Amino acid sequence: MHVAIIGNGVTGVSAAIRIRQLQPDWKITMISGESDYHYSRPALMYIFMGHMRYQDTKPYENSFWELNKIDLLRDWVTEIDTQNKQLKLHKNSSLNFDKLLIATGSKSNKFGWPGQDLDGVQGLYDLMDLKLLYENCKGAKNAVIVGGGLIGVEFAEMLHSRNIHPTFLVREKSYWNNVLPKEESEMVNKLIRKQGLGLKLETELKEIVDNGNGRVKGVITDKDEFIDCEVVGLTAGVSPNIDLAKESSINTGKGILVDWGFRTNETDIFAAGDCAEIIKEGEERNLLQQVWYTGKMQGKVAGESISGLENTTYDPGIWYNSAKFLDLEYQTYGMIMPKAKDSEEHLFWEHENNLHAIRIVTENGSVTGINVMGLRYKHKVCESWIREKRSLEYVFDNLKEANFDPEFYTRFEEDIIRKFKKEQAA
Amino acid sequence: MINAKTLDYSFDEESEGFGEPPKAEKAESRFGEKFFLAIVAFGVLAFVVQLLGAPFKGTWFGFLLAFIPIIIGTPIYFFIHYNDTEAGIKNDNVYFGSISAGGILGWLAGIFLIGFYVFLYWKPEYLSGGIEIVDPLARALSGGPANQWFLYGFFYTVLVLVFGIRMFMKYRHNRYQIIRTSSVMFFQFGLAFVIPNLLKALNQPEFYFTYFWPLKYEYLFPGTVSKFVSHPEGLGIFFIFWGAMMTFIAIPVLTYFYGKRWYCSWVCGCGGLAETFGDPWRQLSDKSTKAWKIERWSIHSVLVFVTVTTVLLWANSATGGQIFGEASSTLKRWYGFVIGAMFAGVIGVGFYPILGNRPWCRFGCPMAAILGLIQKYYSRFRITTNGGQCMSCGNCSTYCEMGIDVRKYAQKGENIIRASCVGCGVCAAVCPRGVLKLENGKTHKDRYEGSDKPVSAFIDSIKHFP
């Protein structure tokens, strides 16, 4: 049995390792045009800033792949022939497979802005983008970042470390407030401004201006303001990378359509990670998950499915995620919407220094979500509270147990509980 | 369809690397930094002109002219340098600096340090100029003239103190780092510099309360013991008692409760230098499995070497030299040369800019070997990981001075239980997702499967060695 995996990102790798555990004798080939070995995509920024070298971002030593008999192939797949179970390759001629996993990830969004294809305009997703950024930063003093999301703030931090001044254009009233509640979002606004980065809220990109040589010289906003810049970062989200599947007989929507075992409509062809769209029978919207953690979990389940475990299904579990906005760490557990639902009660505490905050959300008396900023909380503890529908009293009684900050750090739990209890009494 | 530009991409990220990205000129001038660097340079210059024979060499004037600018100027420089950025982890440019990334300047710094150690151990006459410059301080503290060991102790302590202040600024948001750094600064300055010199002034044997057998191997050698016993006034007896108590009681008890960090990154002078002066080089430690294999062989071999030497010396002294004759003293000399001087000194510090800041602690120190065995099999200390939050970025592994591939455990959500971990806490500090935490658990039993049977786990590990 030969399993081919397109993509060596976290999903492809998690699947490959799971298949090897379950099927010691199968042949596994992992194909990538981007890099010889798997690296951690979220670590791209640290290469640019000089915290790490490229080789430090590889989660496994090179010998790991040989040891686990996972063949690596550096090439681009140009076509999937579902009929003959064959991949057409760019450099090599072709590769036959018995089973196939498509784990091609996603692509940076471009919304058809005038000038979006000029030199100096780019997204930040893969090693090609990273290399391009080195070119684009030559002689650059100012940059404009379009879109205020996670990659945007990382992009800004990277440029800032090279003394290139970034200005954010954010369509919303406040940074990432389509995900973060108002208070958390404002903490990030303050931080961005405090560190000397430009932040233009409720501002959209109208046009990217050519310097006459096909290179960017600035942007014009929807308020007809001209901003000088030599680099434009497009970080207005990502979309599933489904180009390959689209040209084949595999069904696609926004992503590659799969069931809860990551099977596509074609037998023996699977898709998982950022590029997959899980069909939710009887519901209006399907499930698209595009973060590191879900890519890892989906890959593992896809690996089980491919290995022949018929009953394996993906359980997204209690949602969680984390990020770092400049120096501010953020963790979220459960689903917290930016605007409180009528049935929800939101308790929010923020330290006067704007560097620490916590939000606890309850619905019908039980906790449904926790956000922490500038605090570290235990994943397992928060998850169990939400899963077990714990009451607020229970959470207060055990809040200290959830803290994961390093030793000797000031603990705020007593302050937090005092404030929350007072609010509840009122 | 993939576009043609992408299809043409054939970059060898592995061997070519990405190098340093372009940097824009910074608009504002960095006057403060430059000014205090100039002050430090003045101090160094004052030291050098004395080496070249300036007439005030050996006077208080000469000493203060060189060292006041260095000792005051360096911390102020670090203060201004770090105060320029917000508190938080700022490892920007670490891999672009020639000194910090093992470039030409790094090698030159290494050669300079190695040269210093070679002179120190084997050609102290080349250091006579420096010894003369610190002579006034030696006389004031210990009542006697300076020698190369005083010069060494003075440089060592100054480095720990001024680079300790750099640590305060770099990790000013992290109280674990601040307290830990204060601790190593205190032990180096008080117990490894001032007290040993005062003891000398009081006509007592030189003694370091923070070093014990087997790191300070002489303290349990028969020669030292008999010297201490025969010393009048009885303080020597207390030293023997102190050393033996630390080796046989404090080490197992404290390591059980807190892991080897209580010593290696809170008390020990070697650790103190590594954690302060050595911090800029921590990322250079080798993280490969191969290095781990070498490490396990070499560090445990040194432990066997020093144990055998000690036992033979005692057997020999008990029998009046009848069994081994000259053999045990030959062994002692070889241990002193190969391990005490070459490994701990020349390689241990001289190779900071090449092998990272703890080559001795990782590959050689027999004390670290003992503490490590206790830590691994019978201690409450562990680094815990935070569920599924790891995104495998590798900052933890990169900045582990002991070369532990922390990420390997973190990305699987496993506790990190490694003999070599000195508990510096930097992995937890640099983690951008809040995944790692150093902890003293309630018992030693819940750390990993099999840890409730430490003896059989240990025997098992020997069977599977390496």
Side-chain angles (χ1 to χ4, degrees):
Chain A
M1 187 69 78
H2 179 211
V3 183
I5 299 173
I6 310 177
N8 69 353
V10 68
T11 306
V13 164
S14 303
I17 293 172
R18 193 71 185 129
I19 295 167
R20 178 50 74 232
Q21 287 167 347
L22 295 169
Q23 297 292 353
D25 304 322
W26 286 10
K27 182 177 162 63
I28 303 172
T29 308
M30 201 156 62
I31 310 155
S32 167
E34 181 193 3
S35 62
D36 292 345
Y37 294 98
H38 167 58
Y39 73 94
S40 171
R41 203 171 290 289
L44 278 179
M45 63 184 291
Y46 300 114
I47 301 174
F48 187 86
M49 295 196 296
H51 294 209
M52 287 192 273
R53 298 161 301 176
Y54 166 75
Q55 57 265 42
D56 302 320
T57 67
K58 291 188 296 180
Y60 301 95
E61 278 184 78
N62 293 353
S63 59
F64 174 89
W65 308 104
E66 209 176 317
L67 217 64
N68 287 285
K69 293 182 288 157
I70 295 169
D71 298 341
L72 305 176
L73 181 63
R74 175 88 179 249
D75 206 341
W76 295 103
V77 176
T78 50
E79 194 190 323
I80 303 171
D81 182 348
T82 54
Q83 214 69 48
N84 300 311
K85 289 195 169 179
Q86 195 183 59
L87 299 176
K88 297 267 185 306
L89 302 169
H90 178 60
K91 278 190 291 186
N92 302 284
S93 57
S94 64
L95 185 79
N96 295 314
F97 61 82
D98 299 308
K99 294 190 183 209
L100 175 71
L101 174 67
I102 306 170
T104 44
S106 41
K107 296 197 294 190
S108 304
N109 285 337
K110 284 185 173 185
F111 290 115
W113 293 292
Q116 68 179 15
D117 294 319
L118 288 172
D119 289 342
V121 183
Q122 68 167 112
L124 185 67
Y125 186 83
D126 50 28
L127 291 173
M128 285 85 83
D129 290 337
L130 186 70
K131 189 140 195 304
L132 187 61
L133 187 61
Y134 282 60
E135 292 296 314
N136 286 337
C137 283
K138 275 183 194 156
K141 286 197 171 69
N142 294 290
V144 166
I145 297 191
V146 183
L150 289 180
I151 299 178
V153 82
E154 291 179 357
F155 207 147
E157 193 181 347
M158 291 161 70
L159 295 169
H160 190 57
S161 79
R162 307 306 293 168
N163 297 340
I164 296 166
H165 180 75
T167 302
F168 271 108
L169 301 189
V170 176
R171 190 179 53 191
E172 289 79 21
K173 266 189 185 149
S174 179
Y175 172 81
W176 213 31
N177 76 347
N178 50 348
V179 174
L180 292 177
K182 183 166 163 267
E183 289 82 2
E184 284 91 324
S185 168
E186 261 164 24
M187 282 174 85
V188 185
N189 291 345
K190 276 182 200 158
L191 193 74
I192 290 172
R193 291 192 166 126
K194 194 172 151 198
Q195 302 225 352
L197 318 184
L199 178 62
K200 292 190 186 293
L201 300 171
E202 293 185 273
T203 306
E204 286 188 60
L205 174 67
K206 196 164 112 186
E207 188 189 337
I208 304 170
V209 186
D210 192 336
N211 73 347
N213 295 317
R215 181 162 276 279
V216 56
K217 75 165 184 187
V219 303
I220 299 173
T221 70
D222 59 348
K223 302 198 168 61
D224 284 327
E225 185 189 0
F226 179 81
I227 306 172
D228 238 336
C229 68
E230 298 81 24
V231 180
V232 175
L234 300 180
T235 61
V238 292
S239 310
N241 180 8
I242 56 170
D243 296 354
L244 273 174
K246 246 193 207 159
E247 289 162 19
S248 75
S249 56
I250 300 164
N251 289 345
T252 57
K254 273 185 190 157
I256 300 171
L257 294 169
V258 293
D259 65 10
W260 292 91
F262 301 103
R263 299 170 195 90
T264 67
N265 60 309
E266 291 286 349
T267 325
D268 292 334
I269 296 182
F270 303 75
D274 279 20
C275 66
E277 178 179 351
I278 303 175
I279 301 166
K280 281 175 134 181
E281 292 292 349
E283 283 189 44
E284 207 174 302
R285 289 168 84 180
N286 290 336
L287 185 66
L288 262 175
Q289 293 182 314
Q290 297 185 303
V291 299
W292 175 265
Y293 315 101
T294 55
K296 194 168 166 178
M297 293 190 287
Q298 290 192 12
K300 192 178 166 202
V301 176
E304 291 173 355
S305 227
I306 292 166
S307 301
L309 297 187
E310 292 290 334
N311 295 325
T312 189
T313 53
Y314 176 59
D315 171 16
I318 307 286
W319 173 258
Y320 70 98
N321 200 5
S322 58
K324 194 173 179 188
F325 312 107
L326 304 170
D327 292 315
L328 189 61
E329 288 178 19
Y330 155 75
Q331 297 179 335
T332 183
Y333 301 103
M335 267 297 172
I336 296 186
M337 294 296 157
K339 279 212 176 81
K341 286 190 273 179
D342 291 340
S343 54
E344 283 176 350
E345 189 189 1
H346 282 230
L347 292 170
F348 182 77
W349 170 91
E350 183 180 346
H351 193 278
E352 57 192 15
N353 66 8
N354 301 130
L355 296 175
H356 313 281
I358 182 169
R359 174 183 303 272
I360 301 179
V361 180
T362 51
E363 196 171 2
N364 305 323
S366 49
V367 60
T368 56
I370 294 170
N371 269 357
V372 279
M373 308 275 283
L375 294 171
R376 294 174 172 183
Y377 267 45
K378 286 180 190 159
H379 180 187
K380 278 184 185 147
V381 172
C382 295
E383 191 188 43
S384 73
W385 291 345
I386 296 166
R387 192 177 335 99
E388 292 159 14
K389 298 192 190 305
R390 292 296 183 176
S391 68
L392 215 44
E393 282 66 49
Y394 183 90
V395 170
F396 288 166
D397 288 345
N398 295 281
L399 199 62
K400 276 184 184 163
E401 188 205 323
N403 187 296
F404 199 68
D405 274 336
E407 294 156 299
F408 303 119
Y409 270 41
T410 309
R411 298 285 188 258
F412 301 108
E413 278 73 24
E414 277 173 26
D415 274 4
I416 294 166
I417 293 167
R418 202 176 308 126
K419 179 180 186 253
F420 286 173
K421 283 194 169 161
K422 217 161 130 192
E423 280 175 19
Q424 283 210 302
Chain B
M1 195 60 220
I2 304 172
N3 68 43
K5 219 169 160 185
T6 307
L7 287 175
D8 282 346
Y9 179 82
S10 64
F11 180 59
D12 189 348
E13 67 286 335
E14 196 78 17
S15 60
E16 286 177 56
F18 285 80
E20 182 175 355
K23 189 171 190 173
E25 286 298 319
K26 203 156 188 184
E28 71 264 39
S29 86
R30 316 258 280 174
F31 175 74
E33 265 179 83
K34 282 180 191 152
F35 179 76
F36 283 97
L37 264 189
I39 298 265
V40 175
F42 174 81
V44 174
L45 188 70
F47 186 83
V48 173
V49 296
Q50 293 178 72
L51 285 185
L52 298 175
F56 48 81
K57 178 164 75 169
T59 65
W60 273 109
F61 173 75
F63 174 79
L64 296 175
L65 192 69
F67 287 106
I68 285 187
I70 292 175
I71 293 171
I72 308 273
T74 319
I76 297 179
Y77 164 78
F78 285 134
F79 179 84
I80 297 172
H81 177 76
Y82 284 102
N83 211 35
D84 192 48
T85 55
E86 296 291 321
I89 293 300
K90 300 280 160 13
N91 283 320
D92 296 351
N93 306 324
V94 164
Y95 266 107
F96 306 142
S98 183
I99 276 205
S100 57
I104 290 171
L105 290 179
W107 280 91
L108 286 177
I111 290 166
F112 178 80
L113 289 169
I114 291 165
F116 176 79
Y117 274 92
V118 169
F119 291 155
L120 179 70
Y121 286 112
W122 298 291
K123 294 277 174 204
E125 57 271 24
Y126 287 109
L127 300 176
S128 60
I131 294 168
E132 210 178 315
I133 295 170
V134 297
D135 192 62
L137 183 71
R139 287 178 190 277
L141 260 180
S142 70
N147 58 16
Q148 82 262 37
W149 301 113
F150 182 84
L151 176 75
Y152 178 45
F154 175 70
F155 278 173
Y156 201 103
T157 307
V158 167
L159 284 177
V160 169
L161 294 179
V162 300
F163 279 83
I165 289 169
R166 173 183 171 276
M167 289 294 282
F168 288 163
M169 281 311 289
K170 184 175 174 186
Y171 294 103
R172 60 192 183 278
H173 61 292
N174 187 320
R175 204 176 285 161
Y176 181 78
Q177 296 305 330
I178 290 173
I179 295 176
R180 192 177 63 82
T181 305
S182 310
S183 174
V184 293
M185 289 163 77
F186 167 77
F187 282 112
Q188 177 57 38
F189 178 72
L191 279 80
F193 182 66
V194 174
I195 289 185
N197 278 300
L198 288 181
L199 284 172
K200 227 167 146 189
L202 299 169
N203 272 322
Q204 296 296 333
E206 193 187 27
F207 188 77
Y208 296 84
F209 287 92
T210 47
Y211 290 108
F212 335 112
W213 186 92
L215 174 54
K216 194 80 178 165
Y217 45 91
E218 305 101 313
Y219 283 4
L220 282 188
F221 281 179
T224 318
V225 170
S226 64
K227 194 180 87 192
F228 280 168
V229 169
S230 61
H231 192 84
E233 297 170 48
L235 203 55
I237 304 279
F238 173 69
F239 293 162
I240 298 168
F241 167 75
W242 174 265
M245 197 201 68
M246 293 308 287
T247 299
F248 296 112
I249 297 172
I251 287 179
V253 172
L254 291 174
T255 310
Y256 172 72
F257 285 103
Y258 306 112
K260 78 198 263 190
R261 59 178 168 158
W262 77 267
Y263 187 70
C264 295
S265 64
W266 284 71
V267 174
C268 177
C270 308
L273 191 72
E275 296 292 348
T276 50
F277 176 59
D279 178 74
W281 293 300
R282 55 171 53 250
Q283 65 282 354
L284 300 176
S285 61
D286 192 328
K287 315 301 187 299
S288 66
T289 313
K290 199 174 153 199
W292 186 14
K293 282 184 179 162
I294 295 171
E295 165 194 323
R296 285 185 293 175
W297 273 106
S298 71
I299 193 168
H300 295 116
S301 304
V302 175
L303 177 61
V304 170
F305 189 2
V306 73
T307 310
V308 168
T309 307
T310 310
V311 169
L312 288 187
L313 281 169
W314 279 103
N316 204 40
S317 108
T319 57
Q322 284 178 8
I323 312 181
F324 304 108
E326 286 297 301
S328 61
S329 59
T330 308
L331 208 56
K332 177 182 152 186
R333 272 205 308 280
W334 274 98
Y335 187 86
F337 176 75
V338 177
I339 308 298
M342 287 294 291
F343 207 156
V346 178
I347 298 175
V349 179
F351 278 74
Y352 272 14
I354 295 141
L355 295 174
N357 56 336
R358 278 193 184 258
W360 161 246
C361 315
R362 183 182 177 193
F363 294 101
C365 178
M367 177 90 162
I370 292 182
L371 290 161
L373 289 172
I374 302 173
Q375 166 160 291
K376 180 156 182 199
Y377 296 104
Y378 201 64
S379 163
R380 295 179 174 192
F381 172 73
R382 76 288 306 268
I383 302 177
T384 52
T385 53
N386 198 3
Q389 294 281 27
C390 176
M391 47 147 195
S392 303
C393 69
N395 273 294
C396 53
S397 296
T398 303
Y399 288 93
C400 177
E401 57 191 354
M402 296 304 279
I404 300 172
D405 190 358
V406 184
R407 164 174 54 192
K408 189 171 138 187
Y409 304 86
Q411 66 192 359
K412 288 192 273 186
E414 289 175 0
N415 285 352
I416 294 120
I417 316 281
R418 281 280 291 268
S420 61
C421 173
V422 293
C424 70
V426 168
C427 57
V430 298
C431 175
R433 293 294 183 271
V435 173
L436 300 156
K437 184 175 195 294
L438 279 63
E439 286 185 5
N440 308 309
K442 289 195 178 77
T443 71
H444 72 278
K445 292 177 185 165
D446 53 358
R447 302 196 308 159
Y448 61 96
E449 222 174 305
S451 64
D452 55 334
K453 298 189 187 75
V455 177
S456 56
F458 174 66
I459 292 169
D460 217 40
S461 76
I462 291 179
K463 280 185 201 156
H464 294 103
F465 202 80

